[in-house]
C-alpha cells in the first residue's frame, strides 16, 4: 500500500519537531536570562527632578558622601539631604553660566526654596534608585561602621556619575556572595571575615 | 518437559475471548466507538461530566482569587479536603500501573483486555491529583515554581528534607513514565486506527501519532523490547509513589500520622481503590460500547479477587494501628485512635471501615464477583470508603493533637465540596474523550493472544 | 542631650519642645504627603498595571547596555517584572533628634483608662507605633495593660470624628457655646471622674465665668459605693489601697483585684511578687477568693469558696465574729453548706496573721459588705499595715444617676458631655440631651451620645493631647502629644479654655499646654534651676513626685459601721453579677478591635459577652452554651446567650458590661450585648433577678474549647508544702524526653543564644502580653467570623486548663499558661517546609521568612504547640490600603500578605536592632538590653528573656538563672523538640499546710 506521507513530508515533520523543541529550550533559557533580576536593576538610571551631578559634588568638589547622606553611619537609613543642607552652601555658592543666569541645576533647586529668604519651601521628590524590597531590612551603619566598607563597594563610582545609576543588582545572591566569601582586600585588612547568612539578619 | 511449546493459553485463567472470535471481530468491536458517531449515551455522560468540570473551574477561581480561607481549613486542621483528594486520586492511579506493568511482567495475559483503560485512568487520576497540592498552597502563583529546585538569584534551594519536596519528584516521575508507557502501547493500535480511517484528517492525525508504524518484524521486536523495558521501569513506581505520599504523614510528629506502617498500608489501599475504580469504569464502558465479549465477566472476577485480597490487607492495617497505639503506651497515640473511633468524627471512621473492610467481604461469593450490576455498588462504596480513609487520617489526627487548648474542629465549605465533585468531572471528561478518540483495548496484544490461541489449536 | 536625659532601664527620651518641632510635618493636614511617603512594610505586589509598566522606559544607559534586538527584548521582558519605581522624599529641614528609621521615646500618661498610668511612647518617623509603661512611673513601673496597649489602635481609627459637626468651624462652635452659656439659666457639664487637676482647674475657671454651669461626674463603674462607705466611716474622703506585698494572707470577696477592680497593674506586681518560692525556707502568700461569679482573681486563688454575693456581708460578719472568737464559723458554714474545714482554716490563717492579712471586697458589693469588711480589717489590724490610706483618689467623686437625673430632668439650657459616652450606658440620658436647648458632645467617635447631640465636637486622642493626672497623693503624671492632630480635632480641656474666654485661639494646640505649664509652675514644680529645665525634666520623666509620707485617716466609726454592716437584704432565686469587661472596661474601649478580639482571660470569649452560669445552674434552667436567656431586673431586661462556665456559685449569673457599642456609621455592626440596661442605679450586683430561656440559640466564639489537660505533661504544679518538703517535686514530675532526632541537630556557633523563661507562679493570665505582641508585630485583626473559624492570628495566646478539685464539676482549680512559639532547637516545623521558608538561626531562633513562604501549612500541622498562624485571607488589606490605618504598622516588621505562615519571632527586630547598635558602638550587650514586647508589658514580670550564653561580668542572664530553678520544666518535653521557652511551675499554697510565715515580707517592709 502507498505511504500515507511522502518522504518530504516526513522530513518536514522531523525538522518541525526539532525546530520547535529547540525554540522551546531557547525560549525558556532566554526568558530566564531576561527575567533574571540582576539583569533588570543594574543600570537603572531614572531622570531626577533636580539635575544634580554627583560627579561635580563628590568628584570635582570632593564633598564626602556623609556630608549629605549623614544617616549612613548612624542607622539603617543613609537618608537624603534636606533642602536646608543644600542651601548651607548654595546660599553663597550659586554657579551661573556665561550669560550670567543660574545653571539649570540651581534653577531647579530654587523651585524648592524661597529665593528671598533662602528658606526651603517644599521637599524634593526624588526617584528612588537603590530600592530594596520592603521585606529586606538593610542597615547602612552595620556595613559602614560595623564592617567599615566604603560606600563605593555597593554603590559604585558615584563620584564619576553625572546622573546616578545602579551598579550592582542588590539582589540576595549578590549580598550573599560577600557574606559568604568576602573579596580578598576586606579579608586581608581584617575588616570583614564573613557576614551573617541567617534569614533573620535581613528578613523580619 | 512437554514437547509442545507453552502457549499463552496455558497461562490464561480463562479464555480471553469467546470461541471463534476472529481478529477482524476484535478490530471492528474496538474501532466502532472511534468510527461511528457518538451515541446518545455518550453525549449524556459527556455533558454531565463537562458540567462537573465547570463546577471545578469555578471553585478553583474562587480559591485562587479569594484565598484558602474559602475552605474549611483552620488553625489546628491545616490540611483538609485538598490533601484528602490528592491522596485519593493518586491512589486511584495505582491500578493502571499495576495492571500494565506488574501483571505484564508476571505474564498475566488476561490483563490485555483491561490494561489500556487502566493505564489511561492512571494518567487522568494523576492529572486530577496534581491539581490539589498546588491549589492548597497559600500562594500557588509562587508554589508552582518555588517547589522546583532551579538556580536562582537568591542562592536559595528547596528543602530536600521535606516530604512535600519528595512528592514533587515522586509524582512527576510517575506521571511521565505512565504517559510514555501508555503512549508506547498505543502506537500499533493508532496505526490500526490510521489504516481504517476514512476521513483524510483522521488518517493524517492518527498517521502522525502512530509515528509511521509499519508493523514490520523489526518494528515489533523494538516495540516488544521497549514495552518490557518500560514495564520494568514502571514497576517500582507502583510501590514508590504512594509510599512517598505516605511519608507526608509518616515523617511528621503528629500523633496518628507518625507511624511506620503507612507505606505498605497506603499502597494496599491505593491498589484497592484503583481496582475499584477500574472495575467501575470497565463495567460502564463495556456496557456503553458492547465490549462484553472482549472484557468478560472472568476479567471482572479476577479484579474482584484482587480487591478482596487488598481489602483484607487494609483491614489488617486498621487493626494493627489500634494495636500499636495501645501497645506503644504513648498517651497521644492512644487518644488519637480512641478519638477516631469514638470522637466527633467517628462517623467518618466507621463508614471507612464498613466500606473498605466489611462490604468487600461480599466478594467471597462468586455471584458478586461475576455479576456487573451487583459489583457496581460495591466498588462505588469502596471508593467512598477509601476517600474517608484519607479524611480520617488527616482530619482526626490534626484536630486534636498535643495541646488540648489548641484543639478545634474542621467543617468543610461548599468550595471544598465543589472541588471534590468537580475533580470527578475532570476525570470523567478525560475518560470519555479517551474512549471516543483512542482504541480502548490493546487490539494488537489481544489479537496476538487470539492468533496464538489458534496456533496452539493446530497442534492437536 | 539624649544621654543627659537617659534614665536607667528606659530608652533615651526627649522632651515636648522637640515634639512640637518634630511633630510639625506630621499632621495629615499640613505636609502630610511627606509623611505618607514613608514606606510601610508590605509585600510588593507581583502584578503590575499597564501604565505602571510604561513608567520605566529604557533610559540612556540601559539602552546602551541592551544593544541589539535580543537585548532590547530582554529589557522589554525585564520591564514587565521590574517592581514599580518609588519616590523618596527628603524633608525640607531636619527636626532635632529625628533620624529616619530610628525611633524616639516620649514619656506621657494614659488618661483614657479608669486609672491614669504612666506611658512611654515609641515614635518612629513621626508616628507613634507602640505604647508601653513608663519605667519612671511609681505605680505601673514600666508595665502596661491590654487596654493601654490598645489605645494606639484607636489613634488611627478611621471612624474617628474628623471635624466639628453641627457648626461650620471651631470658632463658630465656640461662639455658639459661649452664647448659650451666657444666656443659660441652668447649664450642666458632664465629665468622667478621672480628669486631671489642670482640667479640673479649667472647669472651675469656666464655672467662675458662667455661674449657671454645674459640673457633674458620670462614671458608672466608679468605685463609689466602697468609697462612700469609707467616707462615711472615716469622716473624710479617700481610699484604702491594699498592699499585697506586705500581706501573707489575702482574702478577696467578689473582688477582682487582678483584673477589673482597682489599680490592677500595681496589684498584679505586688501580689505576684509574693508568690515565688525557690528554696525550702521561702514562703508565699495565700489567696482565698470568695465569690459568686468567676473572676480572673478567682482563677488564681489557692482556695475558691463559691458564695452567692447576697451572703457576702453576712459571711464577712461571721468571719469577724470567728476571728474575734465570739462565735465559730461552723454555724455559718453549716447554714450555707460550705466546707467548714476550709472556712476553719481561713479563720485560722487570718487570726495568725493579724497585721499581715488583708481583706478586699469588690466594688460591686453593697454598702453592708464594705462596712463589714472595714470592721474585719480593723479586727485583723490591717489598717495602715496591709492597707494604706490615700487621701487623694485618682477620680473625682462620681455622681449617681439619681443625682444627675434630679439635676437635668426638668430641662437644662446647655448640656455638655466631655469625653464620655453617657448614652451607651444610660440610654435614658438621650432624651435629656434632646430636651436641652443646646446639647454639646465632645468625643473621639460619633457614638451614641454624640449622635444625640446638636453640636458634635471631635476630641484629640490621648496621644495628641496635653494633660496631667494625679493618680495618687504626691504624684503628678504628665501627658504630652507625640503626634500632631491627625484631623481637625481639639482636646476637651482646650475647648473649656476656649469657652471661658472670648479671646481667639492664638496658638492652636498649645493653649492648654501653657495653662497646664502655668498651673504646674504655680503649684507643683519647685522651680530651682529655672522653669524651663524643671519643665523639660518633668516632661522627660513623665512624672513629678511630691512628698508621699504615710497618711493616717480618722479612726473607724465602729458603731456606725456595725449598723451599716447589719443592713439586711432580700435575695431571690437568681442573683446577677455585672462585671466590667476584661478589656473594654465600661465600654469606652468597646470600639477597639484589638480589645474586642482578645479572648477574655476567664471565659475565652472573643467579640462577645454572655450570661455565665455554673453547670448546675444551667441544668436547673435546662440551657446549654449558646442558648439565649432573658435576664430581667427591676431596671430592665436583656437577652443574651448563656455560657456554661463551671466555677460560678449556683444560682448566680455573671455577665460583662461594656459590650454592644457601635459606630454611628455602622449601627448594625454590634458585638456582644449591651448589658447596661440591667444595671441598677447603683451597685453592680443584683440579688433578685429573673432568668428565662427564650428557646432560641446562637453561637458564641471562643478561642478555646477544651479545658482539660487530659493528664498530659503541659502545666506542672505542686503545693508549697510538697515543694518545701522535696525541692525536686517538680523535676520528678517532668516527662523524660526519648527518641533520637533523625537529622543532625543544629550546631550553634556559641554566640548569642536567645531563650525565654515564663514563671507561671507570677503569671495571672491578664492579656497584656497578647496585645503588646499584636501591637509590636503588626498582627492582623481577623474579625468575629474568622475567629469562629479558628483563624485568629495572635502570636501569643493564654491557654487555660481546669482541674477538678472535687466531684462537683463546678469545683475547679485553674491554670493559665502563656503559649507562644517555643523556638525549638529540633524544630519539627523546619524539616517539613519544602521551600526552606522556616529554618534555624545560629542564635537559637526559629526564623520564619514570610517572603519565601508559599503556604503549604505543613509546618503548622507539624507544630506540637500549634502556635503557627496562617493568613487565610488578605487580613491586612484594609490597613495597608488606608492612608491613616497603615501608619499603625511597626516599620521594623514585615506586614504579612495573604497565604503566608507567621508566628512569634522572639521580637527578632528588637534583637537585631540591639545587636546592630552594639556593633555600631562597639559595646558589649548586657542582659536586659533586648526585651520582647510581651516581657516589657507583663505587669507580673513573669517573662524573662535573654542570652543564655552571656558570661560574667555581664552575665549570667536572668533567664539562665531561672532555667536553673527547681520549678523549671518544659512543655511536652518527651517529644524531644528541645523548646527554648522554659516554664517555671506555679506553687499552690494550700490551707492546712503550715501557715505562711511572712518573715521575708516583713523585712522588705522594714527596708521601705
Amino acid at each position: 500500500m502507498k505511504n500515507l506521507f511522502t518522504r518530504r513530508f516526513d522530513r518536514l515533520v522531523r525538522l518541525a519537531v526539532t525546530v520547535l523543541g529547540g525554540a522551546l529550550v531557547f525560549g525558556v533559557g532566554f526568558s530566564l536570562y531576561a527575567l533574571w533580576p540582576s539583569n533588570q536593576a543594574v543600570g537603572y538610571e531614572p531622570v531626577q527632578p533636580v539635575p544634580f551631578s554627583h560627579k561635580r559634588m563628590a568628584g570635582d568638589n570632593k564633598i564626602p558622601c556623609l556630608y549629605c547622606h549623614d544617616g549612613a553611619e548612624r542607622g539603617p537609613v543613609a537618608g537624603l539631604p534636606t533642602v536646608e543642607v543644600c542651601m548651607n552652601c548654595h546660599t553663597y555658592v550659586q554657579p551661573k553660566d556665561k550669560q550670567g543666569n543660574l545653571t539649570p541645576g540651581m534653577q531647579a533647586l530654587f523651585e524648592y526654596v524661597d529665593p528671598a529668604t533662602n528658606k526651603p519651601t517644599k521637599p524634593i521628590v526624588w526617584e528612588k534608585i537603590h530600592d530594596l524590597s520592603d521585606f529586606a531590612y538593610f542597615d547602612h551603619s552595620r556595613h559602614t561602621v560595623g564592617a567599615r566598607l566604603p560606600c563605593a563597594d555597593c554603590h559604585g563610582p558615584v563620584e564619576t556619575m553625572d546622573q546616578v545609576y545602579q551598579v550592582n543588582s542588590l539582589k540576595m545572591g549578590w549580598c550573599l556572595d560577600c557574606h559568604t566569601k568576602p573579596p580578598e582586600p576586606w579579608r586581608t585588612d581584617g575588616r570583614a571575615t564573613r557576614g551573617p547568612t541567617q534569614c533573620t539578619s535581613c528578613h523580619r | 518437559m512437554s514437547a509442545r511449546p507453552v502457549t499463552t493459553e496455558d497461562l490464561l485463567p480463562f479464555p480471553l475471548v469467546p470461541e471463534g472470535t476472529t481478529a477482524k471481530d476484535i478490530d471492528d468491536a474496538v474501532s466502532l466507538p472511534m468510527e461511528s458517531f457518538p451515541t446518545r449515551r455518550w453525549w449524556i455522560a459527556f455533558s454531565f461530566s463537562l458540567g462537573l468540570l465547570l463546577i471545578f473551574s469555578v471553585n478553583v477561581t474562587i480559591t485562587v482569587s479569594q484565598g484558602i480561607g474559602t475552605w474549611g481549613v483552620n488553625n489546628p486542621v491545616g490540611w483538609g479536603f485538598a490533601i484528602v483528594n490528592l491522596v485519593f486520586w493518586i491512589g486511584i492511579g495505582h491500578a493502571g500501573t499495576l495492571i500494565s506493568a506488574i501483571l505484564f511482567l508476571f505474564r498475566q495475559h488476561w490483563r490485555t483486555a483491561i490494561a489500556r483503560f487502566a493505564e489511561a485512568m492512571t494518567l487522568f487520576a494523576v492529572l486530577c491529583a496534581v491539581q490539589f497540592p498546588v491549589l492548597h498552597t497559600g500562594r500557588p502563583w509562587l508554589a508552582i515554581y518555588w517547589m522546583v529546585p532551579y538556580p536562582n538569584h537568591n542562592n536559595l534551594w528547596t528543602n530536600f528534607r521535606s516530604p512535600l519536596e519528595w512528592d514533587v519528584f515522586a509524582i512527576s516521575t510517575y506521571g511521565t513514565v505512565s504517559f510514555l508507557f501508555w503512549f508506547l502501547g498505543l502506537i500499533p493500535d493508532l496505526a490500526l486506527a490510521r489504516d481504517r480511517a476514512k476521513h483524510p484528517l483522521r488518517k493524517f492525525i492518527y498517521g502522525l501519532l502512530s509515528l509511521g508504524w509499519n508493523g514490520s518484524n523489526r518494528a515489533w521486536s523494538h516495540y516488544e523490547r521497549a514495552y518490557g523495558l518500560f514495564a520494568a521501569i514502571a514497576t517500582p513506581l507502583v510501590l514508590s509513589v504512594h509510599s512517598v505520599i505516605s511519608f507526608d504523614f509518616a515523617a511528621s510528629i503528629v500523633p496518628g500520622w507518625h507511624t511506620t506502617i503507612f507505606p505498605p498500608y497506603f499502597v494496599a489501599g491505593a491498589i484497592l481503590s484503583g481496582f475499584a475504580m477500574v472495575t467501575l469504569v470497565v463495567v460502564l464502558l463495556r456496557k456503553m460500547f458492547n465490549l462484553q465479549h472482549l472484557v468478560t465477566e472472568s476479567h471482572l472476577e479476577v479484579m474482584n479477587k484482587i480487591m478482596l485480597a487488598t481489602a483484607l490487607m487494609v483491614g489488617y492495617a486498621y487493626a494493627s494501628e489500634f494495636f500499636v497505639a495501645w501497645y506503644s503506651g504513648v498517651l497521644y497515640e492512644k487518644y488519637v485512635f480512641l478519638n477516631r473511633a469514638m470522637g466527633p468524627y467517628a462517623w467518618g471512621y466507621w463508614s471507612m471501615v464498613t466500606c473498605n473492610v466489611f462490604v468487600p467481604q461480599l466478594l467471597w461469593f462468586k455471584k458478586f464477583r461475576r455479576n456487573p450490576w451487583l459489583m457496581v455498588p460495591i466498588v462505588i462504596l469502596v471508593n467512598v470508603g477509601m476517600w474517608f480513609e484519607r479524611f480520617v487520617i488527616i482530619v482526626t489526627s490534626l484536630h486534636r493533637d498535643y495541646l488540648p487548648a489548641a484543639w478545634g474542629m474542621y467543617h468543610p465549605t461548599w468550595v471544598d465540596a465543589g472541588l471534590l465533585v468537580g475533580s470527578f468531572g475532570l476525570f470523567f471528561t478525560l475518560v470519555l474523550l479517551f474512549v471516543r478518540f483512542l482504541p480502548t483495548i490493546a487490539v494488537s496484544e489481544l489479537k496476538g493472544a487470539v492468533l496464538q490461541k489458534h496456533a496452539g489449536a493446530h497442534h492437536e | 542631650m539624649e544621654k543627659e536625659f537617659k534614665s536607667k532601664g528606659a530608652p533615651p527620651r526627649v522632651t515636648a519642645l522637640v515634639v512640637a518641632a518634630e511633630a510639625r510635618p506630621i499632621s495629615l493636614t499640613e505636609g502630610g504627603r511627606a509623611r505618607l511617603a514613608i514606606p510601610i512594610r508590605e509585600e510588593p505586589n507581583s502584578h503590575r498595571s499597564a501604565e505602571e509598566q510604561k513608567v520605566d522606559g529604557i533610559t540612556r544607559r540601559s539602552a546602551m547596555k541592551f544593544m541589539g534586538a535580543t537585548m532590547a527584548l530582554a529589557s522589554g521582558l525585564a520591564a514587565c517584572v521590574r517592581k514599580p519605581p518609588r519616590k523618596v522624599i527628603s524633608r525640607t529641614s531636619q527636626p532635632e533628634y529625628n533620624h529616619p528609621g530610628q525611633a524616639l521615646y516620649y514619656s506621657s500618661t494614659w488618661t483614657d483608662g479608669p486609672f491614669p498610668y504612666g506611658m512611654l511612647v515609641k515614635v518612629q518617623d513621626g508616628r507613634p507605633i507602640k505604647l508601653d509603661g513608663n519605667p519612671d512611673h511609681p505605680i505601673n513601673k514600666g508595665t502596661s495593660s491590654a487596654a493601654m496597649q490598645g489605645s494606639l489602635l484607636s489613634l488611627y481609627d478611621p471612624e474617628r470624628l474628623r471635624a466639628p459637626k453641627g457648626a461650620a468651624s471651631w470658632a463658630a462652635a465656640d461662639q455658639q457655646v459661649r452664647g448659650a452659656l451666657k444666656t443659660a439659666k441652668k447649664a450642666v457639664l458632664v465629665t468622667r471622674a478621672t480628669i486631671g487637676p489642670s482640667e479640673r482647674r479649667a472647669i472651675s475657671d469656666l464655672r467662675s465665668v458662667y455661674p449657671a454651669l454645674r459640673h457633674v461626674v458620670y462614671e458608672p463603674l466608679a468605685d463609689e459605693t466602697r468609697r462612700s462607705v469609707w467616707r462615711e466611716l472615716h469622716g473624710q474622703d479617700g481610699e484604702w489601697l491594699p498592699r499585697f506585698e506586705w500581706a501573707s494572707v489575702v482574702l478577696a470577696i467578689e473582688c477582682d483585684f487582678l483584673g477589673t477592680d482597682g489599680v490592677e497593674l500595681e496589684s498584679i506586681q505586688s501580689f505576684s511578687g509574693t508568690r515565688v518560692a525557690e528554696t525550702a525556707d521561702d514562703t508565699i502568700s495565700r489567696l482565698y477568693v470568695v465569690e459568686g461569679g468567676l473572676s480572673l482573681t478567682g482563677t488564681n486563688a489557692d482556695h475558691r469558696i463559691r458564695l452567692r454575693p447576697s451572703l457576702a456581708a453576712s459571711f464577712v460578719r461571721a468571719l469577724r465574729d470567728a476571728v474575734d472568737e465570739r462565735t465559730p464559723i461552723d454555724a455559718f458554714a453549716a447554714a450555707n453548706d460550705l466546707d467548714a474545714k476550709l472556712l476553719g482554716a481561713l479563720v485560722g490563717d487570718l487570726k495568725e496573721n493579724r497585721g499581715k492579712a488583708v481583706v478586699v471586697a469588690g466594688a460591686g458589693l453593697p454598702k453592708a459588705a464594705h462596712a463589714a469588711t472595714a470592721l474585719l480589717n480593723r479586727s485583723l489590724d490591717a489598717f495602715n499595715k496591709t492597707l494604706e490610706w490615700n487621701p487623694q483618689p485618682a477620680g473625682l467623686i462620681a455622681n449617681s444617676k439619681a443625682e444627675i437625673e434630679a439635676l437635668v430632668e426638668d430641662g437644662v439650657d446647655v448640656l455638655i458631655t466631655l469625653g464620655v459616652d453617657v448614652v451607651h450606658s444610660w440610654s435614658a440620658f438621650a432624651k435629656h440631651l434632646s430636651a436641652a436647648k443646646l446639647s454639646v458632645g465632645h468625643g473621639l467617635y460619633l457614638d451614641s451620645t454624640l449622635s444625640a447631640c446638636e453640636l458634635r465636637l471631635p476630641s484629640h486622642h490621648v496621644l495628641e493631647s496635653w494633660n496631667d493626672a494625679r493618680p495618687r497623693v504626691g504624684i503628678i503624671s504628665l501627658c504630652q502629644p507625640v503626634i500632631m492632630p491627625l484631623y481637625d480635632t481639639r482636646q476637651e480641656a482646650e475647648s473649656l479654655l476656649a469657652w471661658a474666654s472670648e479671646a481667639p485661639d492664638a496658638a492652636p494646640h498649645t493653649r492648654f499646654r501653657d495653662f497646664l505649664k502655668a498651673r504646674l509652675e504655680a503649684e507643683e514644680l519647685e522651680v530651682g534651676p529655672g522653669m524651663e529645665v524643671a519643665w523639660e525634666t518633668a516632661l522627660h520623666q513623665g512624672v513629678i513626685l511630691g512628698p508621699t509620707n504615710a497618711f493616717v485617716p480618722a479612726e473607724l466609726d465602729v458603731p456606725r459601721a456595725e449598723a451599716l454592716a447589719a443592713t439586711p437584704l432580700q435575695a431571690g432565686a437568681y442573683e446577677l453579677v455585672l462585671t466590667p469587661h476584661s478589656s473594654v472596661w465600661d465600654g469606652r474601649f468597646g470600639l477597639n478591635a484589638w480589645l474586642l478580639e482578645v479572648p477574655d482571660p476567664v471565659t475565652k470569649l472573643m467579640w462577645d459577652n454572655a450570661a455565665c452560669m455554673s453547670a448546675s445552674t444551667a441544668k436547673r434552667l435546662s440551657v446549654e452554651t449558646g442558648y439565649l436567656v432573658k435576664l430581667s431586673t427591676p431596671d430592665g431586661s436583656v437577652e443574651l446567650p448563656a455560657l456554661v462556665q463551671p466555677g460560678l456559685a449556683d444560682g448566680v449569673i455573671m455577665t460583662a458590661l461594656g459590650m454592644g457599642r457601635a459606630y454611628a456609621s455602622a449601627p448594625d455592626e454590634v458585638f456582644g450585648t449591651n448589658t447596661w440596661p440591667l444595671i441598677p442605679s447603683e451597685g453592680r450586683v443584683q440579688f433578685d433577678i429573673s432568668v428565662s430561656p427564650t428557646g432560641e440559640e446562637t453561637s458564641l466564639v471562643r478561642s478555646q474549647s477544651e479545658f482539660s489537660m487530659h493528664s498530659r505533661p503541659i502545666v506542672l504544679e505542686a503545693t508549697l508544702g510538697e515543694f518545701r518538703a522535696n525541692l525536686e517535686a517538680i523535676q520528678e514530675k517532668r516527662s523524660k524526653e526519648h527518641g533520637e532526632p533523625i537529622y543532625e541537630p543544629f550546631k550553634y556557633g556559641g554566640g548569642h543564644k536567645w531563650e525565654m523563661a515564663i514563671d507561671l507562679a507570677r503569671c495571672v493570665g491578664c492579656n497584656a502580653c497578647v496585645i503588646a505582641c499584636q501591637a509590636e508585630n503588626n498582627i492582623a485583626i481577623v474579625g468575629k467570623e474568622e475567629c469562629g473559624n479558628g483563624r485568629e492570628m495572635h502570636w501569643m495566646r493564654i491557654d487555660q486548663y481546669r482541674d477538678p478539685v472535687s466531684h462537683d464539676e463546678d469545683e475547679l482549680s485553674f491554670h493559665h499558661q502563656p503559649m507562644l512559639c517555643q523556638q525549638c532547637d529540633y524544630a519539627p516545623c523546619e524539616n517539613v517546609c519544602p521551600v526552606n521558608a522556616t529554618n534555624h538561626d545560629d542564635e537559637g531562633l526559629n526564623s520564619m521568612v514570610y517572603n519565601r513562604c508559599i503556604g503549604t501549612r505543613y509546618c503548622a500541622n507539624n507544630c506540637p504547640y500549634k502556635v503557627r498562624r496562617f493568613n487565610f485571607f488578605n487580613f491586612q488589606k484594609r490597613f495597608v490600603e488606608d492612608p491613616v490605618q497603615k501608619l499603625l504598622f511597626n516599620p521594623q516588621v514585615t506586614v504579612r500578605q495573604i497565604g503566608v505562615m507567621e508566628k512569634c519571632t522572639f521580637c527578632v527586630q528588637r534583637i537585631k536592632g540591639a545587636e546592630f547598635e552594639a556593633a555600631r558602638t562597639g559595646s558589649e550587650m548586657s542582659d536586659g538590653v533586648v526585651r520582647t514586647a510581651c516581657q516589657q508589658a507583663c505587669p507580673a514580670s513573669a517573662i524573662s528573656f535573654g542570652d543564655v550564653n552571656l558570661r560574667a561580668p555581664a552575665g549570667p542572664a536572668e533567664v539562665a538563672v531561672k532555667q536553673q530553678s527547681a520549678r523549671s520544666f518544659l512543655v511536652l518535653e518527651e517529644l524531644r523538640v528541645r523548646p527554648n521557652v522554659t516554664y517555671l511551675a506555679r506553687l499552690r499554697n494550700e490551707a492546712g499546710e503550715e501557715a505562711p510565715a511572712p518573715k521575708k515580707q516583713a523585712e522588705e517592709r522594714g527596708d521601705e
Side-chain angles (χ1 to χ4, degrees), chain C residues 557-800:
Chain C
D557 178 343
V558 176
R560 189 111 172 252
E562 271 163 347
L564 194 52
T567 0
L569 57 84
Q570 292 307 325
Y574 292 100
E575 304 184 19
L576 175 65
V577 178
L578 289 157
T579 64
H581 187 279
S582 56
S583 52
V584 308
W585 186 244
D586 59 5
R588 69 183 66 184
F589 310 120
L591 296 171
N592 185 312
W594 282 355
L595 300 178
L596 287 166
E597 189 156 298
V598 69
D600 179 282
V602 176
T603 62
K604 296 296 170 191
L605 276 170
M606 310 166 98
W607 295 94
D608 216 337
N609 58 344
C612 306
M613 56 187 76
S614 72
S616 53
T617 313
K619 278 197 202 69
R620 177 137 55 105
L621 289 163
S622 63
V623 297
E624 287 169 23
T625 299
Y627 286 31
L628 282 180
V629 292
K630 186 159 188 286
L631 307 180
S632 312
T633 69
D635 299 70
S637 70
V638 156
E639 273 184 25
L640 76 169
L643 173 65
V644 178
Q645 172 66 65
L648 273 78
D650 300 341
V652 174
I653 311 289
M654 177 181 76
T655 180
L657 294 159
M659 295 297 282
R661 245 182 112 181
Y663 294 113
S665 63
D668 315 338
E669 271 187 33
V670 184
F671 295 103
T673 317
N674 184 351
T675 47
W676 277 109
L678 291 172
I679 203 149
S681 331
E682 62 184 39
R684 302 199 301 263
V685 182
Q686 281 286 295
F687 300 113
D688 187 4
I689 63 161
S690 70
V691 187
S692 53
T694 63
E696 289 156 72
E697 259 192 84
T698 170
S699 67
L700 287 168
V701 174
R702 302 167 80 185
S703 63
Q704 192 177 337
S705 54
E706 177 66 29
F707 293 91
S708 159
M709 223 180 304
H710 291 259
S711 59
R712 298 176 177 188
I714 298 170
V715 179
L716 301 189
E717 201 184 57
T719 67
L720 180 64
E722 205 184 333
F723 179 74
R724 289 171 63 161
N726 167 18
L727 284 178
E728 289 305 297
I730 297 295
Q731 299 309 312
E732 285 161 6
K733 293 182 184 179
R734 282 175 74 156
S735 59
K736 305 284 161 286
E737 64 177 26
H738 47 64
E740 284 298 319
I742 311 176
Y743 295 110
E744 194 59 14
F746 187 87
K747 296 249 186 317
Y748 288 110
H752 302 302
K753 175 84 154 58
W754 303 104
E755 298 194 14
M756 182 180 277
I758 301 179
D759 191 339
L760 298 179
R762 286 176 166 276
C763 175
V764 299
C766 76
N767 278 320
C769 50
V770 179
I771 300 297
C773 175
Q774 185 160 25
E776 169 73 15
N777 294 301
N778 302 335
I779 294 172
I781 303 160
V782 301
K784 187 175 184 179
E785 189 189 350
E786 287 309 308
C787 288
N789 294 339
R791 293 165 181 176
E792 61 267 28
M793 299 300 285
H794 297 136
W795 283 3
M796 187 154 193
R797 61 172 201 262
I798 299 187
D799 292 346
Q800 184 189 108

Side-chain angles (χ1 to χ4, degrees), chain C residues 133-147:
Chain C
N134 175 0
D136 296 342
H137 196 280
I139 292 174
N140 61 314
K141 306 192 182 74
T143 68
S144 51
S145 68

Side-chain angles (χ1 to χ4, degrees), chain B residues 71 75 162 248 401-402, chain C residues 712 791 832 857-858 869 974:
Chain B
W71 295 1
N75 189 14
S162 167
D248 288 350
D401 66 345
Y402 289 101
Chain C
R712 298 176 177 188
R791 293 165 181 176
V832 297
R857 302 185 298 291
Y858 198 174
R869 297 284 181 262
E974 77 270 39

Side-chain angles (χ1 to χ4, degrees), chain C residues 500-574:
Chain C
S501 77
E502 292 288 346
D505 191 350
H509 310 307
T510 59
R511 187 190 258 194
F512 184 65
R513 180 192 65 187
D514 303 338
F515 182 85
L516 175 81
K517 199 170 160 188
R519 195 193 71 82
L520 290 178
E521 190 166 14
E523 299 166 21
E524 313 288 356
L525 287 167
E526 61 292 332
V527 188
M531 181 55 194
E532 276 317 315
V533 181
W535 164 248
E536 279 196 23
T537 321
L539 278 174
H540 174 266
Q541 298 308 108
V543 281
I544 305 167
L545 299 179
T548 51
N549 45 345
F551 294 81
V552 180
E555 194 38 50
L556 185 76
D557 178 343
V558 176
R560 189 111 172 252
E562 271 163 347
L564 194 52
T567 0
L569 57 84
Q570 292 307 325
Y574 292 100

Side-chain angles (χ1 to χ4, degrees), chain C residues 336-419:
Chain C
N336 306 288
D337 72 80
L338 296 170
D339 178 351
K341 189 164 163 297
L342 183 53
L343 290 192
L346 168 58
V347 173
D349 277 350
L350 291 177
K351 272 200 260 180
E352 290 163 27
N353 290 281
R354 288 179 196 274
K356 293 163 304 194
V358 64
V359 182
V360 285
L365 288 172
K367 290 187 167 191
H370 293 298
T373 310
L375 289 168
L376 178 55
N377 276 323
R378 183 168 166 283
S379 314
L380 293 175
D381 185 23
F383 291 142
N384 306 314
K385 289 203 171 63
T386 52
L387 286 170
E388 195 174 59
W389 183 256
N390 168 29
Q392 277 178 331
L396 294 163
I397 297 174
N399 300 85
S400 70
K401 281 184 186 171
E403 291 165 357
I404 303 177
E405 189 78 46
L407 189 61
V408 297
E409 64 195 339
D410 50 0
V412 289
D413 302 322
V414 186
L415 188 47
I416 305 172
T417 64
L418 282 193

Side-chain angles (χ1 to χ4, degrees), chain B residues 252-380:
Chain B
S252 81
I253 69 167
V254 179
W257 284 10
H258 181 69
T259 156
T260 46
I261 197 180
F262 265 15
Y265 165 22
F266 268 50
V267 173
I271 293 168
L272 174 58
S273 61
F275 269 80
M277 189 56 103
V278 177
T279 318
L280 182 62
V281 175
V282 165
V283 168
L284 297 182
L285 291 186
R286 71 199 279 272
K287 186 92 193 65
M288 196 183 284
F289 301 109
N290 315 316
L291 298 171
Q292 287 89 338
H293 60 297
L294 296 187
V295 184
T296 62
E297 274 77 9
S298 318
H299 287 99
L300 300 177
E301 181 169 18
V302 184
M303 290 198 283
N304 286 326
K305 284 181 180 160
I306 297 183
M307 276 168 58
L308 182 53
T310 43
L312 291 173
M313 294 184 206
V314 171
Y316 169 77
Y318 296 163
S320 70
E321 271 190 320
F322 265 81
F323 171 76
V324 171
W326 164 78
Y327 186 69
S328 69
V330 177
L331 212 56
Y332 317 102
E333 288 289 333
K334 274 194 216 156
Y335 182 83
V336 163
F337 283 91
L338 282 181
N339 184 47
R340 277 186 190 172
M342 277 115 83
Y345 291 109
W347 51 270
Y349 180 80
W350 290 112
S351 35
M352 159 188 110
V353 173
T354 321
C355 297
N356 294 349
V357 185
F358 299 148
V359 171
Q361 300 309 319
L362 289 170
L363 296 172
W364 287 106
F365 305 100
K366 200 173 183 63
K367 197 161 179 21
F368 284 88
R369 290 203 302 269
R370 292 193 71 86
N371 178 332
W373 302 124
L374 282 180
M375 73 182 70
V376 161
I378 297 182
V379 294
I380 291 178

